[in-house]
Amino acid sequence: MGKSERLKHIKINGEEVVELDYGQIMPRLVYADVGRVPPMKDLYRIPGLEKHRAGVKKVMSSMLFVEKPLSRFPQGTRDLFPRKMRVENVTEAIMAAHPEIAGEFFTGVGHRCQFRESQILVEVLRILNANGITALPIHDAILVPASASTLAKRVMLYTFKRKTRIDGEVTILTAQQHPDEDHLLA
């Protein structure tokens, strides 16, 4: 089920749901691992590549999961950049924008971060459940009844900070926003 369908059709205790999503969780977790604070709010807005955020997000994710430099664009990303741009140009721009974590790219660190992400999300679910709030996990996001969105966001931010010692980002998406998944700041 896509975001739009989930938000329109899933109900918890008869109530409409909202989706709360951790923003840029993987690079934020890498920053936490190296004991640094991310230098910008949107870690996928790379100087010179601002119009290609969706592509940057996918390439950066690949850079965190592979163990050697990319020699070609990851599947489905070539069309997200100008024809003359090479994958090396993109990876170099990402590393230049993130010098504090540049040494972590191409090391497979994403796998460790994925486990840490799951630990954070389990803790969020545990806290919400202890407060009588049903939440459904979806990757780095949760669905909660709309009436619980404020508390759920506070719990997500609190848990991220407690587990990483850096601030997280959480966005709330409602059914009325009819999301276009390529333009979300998640």
Side-chain angles (χ1 to χ4, degrees):
M1 219 181 230
K3 279 185 194 277
S4 184
E5 290 81 23
R6 287 193 298 261
L7 293 170
K8 288 178 184 174
H9 301 293
I10 294 177
K11 306 251 185 273
I12 297 177
N13 297 326
E15 186 178 343
E16 285 190 13
V17 297
V18 296
E19 184 169 324
L20 289 91
D21 190 8
Y22 278 117
Q24 309 106 41
I25 194 166
M26 285 298 167
R28 287 183 189 286
L29 289 172
V30 176
Y31 271 98
D33 277 354
V34 300
R36 301 287 187 167
V37 174
M40 57 190 98
K41 183 176 174 92
D42 184 351
L43 301 176
Y44 299 131
R45 293 243 183 252
I46 303 300
L49 298 173
E50 295 89 351
K51 294 180 181 179
H52 310 287
R53 185 187 185 282
V56 166
K57 179 179 177 179
K58 291 178 179 184
V59 169
M60 194 170 179
S61 179
S62 292
M63 292 168 66
L64 293 173
F65 282 92
V66 299
E67 295 184 12
K68 62 181 181 172
L70 300 175
S71 59
R72 61 184 176 164
F73 281 99
Q75 186 175 2
T77 61
R78 171 68 261 176
D79 292 339
L80 300 173
F81 296 96
R83 277 193 97 47
K84 292 183 180 183
M85 188 170 289
R86 299 176 43 197
V87 71
E88 293 84 4
N89 303 126
V90 176
T91 60
E92 288 170 9
I94 291 169
M95 291 190 309
H98 297 287
E100 298 92 347
I101 63 169
E104 300 297 309
F105 292 116
F106 312 118
T107 66
V109 69
H111 299 287
R112 187 174 71 242
C113 290
Q114 222 172 19
F115 176 69
R116 203 155 170 213
E117 172 188 323
S118 71
Q119 291 177 311
I120 291 168
L121 208 54
V122 166
E123 182 69 5
V124 166
L125 295 172
R126 188 193 66 70
I127 294 169
L128 290 174
N129 185 53
N131 284 280
I133 298 170
T134 300
L136 304 174
I138 303 166
H139 306 292
D140 62 349
I142 58 173
L143 295 178
V144 297
S147 62
S149 63
T150 301
L151 176 59
K153 183 174 182 176
R154 282 199 323 257
V155 168
M156 288 176 75
L157 291 171
Y158 164 80
T159 303
F160 193 85
K161 178 83 173 201
R162 195 169 62 96
K163 296 276 190 180
T164 66
R165 295 193 171 105
I166 65 169
D167 291 326
E169 288 289 322
V170 174
T171 57
I172 300 175
L173 188 62
T174 67
Q176 291 73 33
Q177 292 169 306
H178 301 288
D180 176 356
E181 292 186 25
D182 291 333
H183 295 92
L184 293 177
L185 293 179

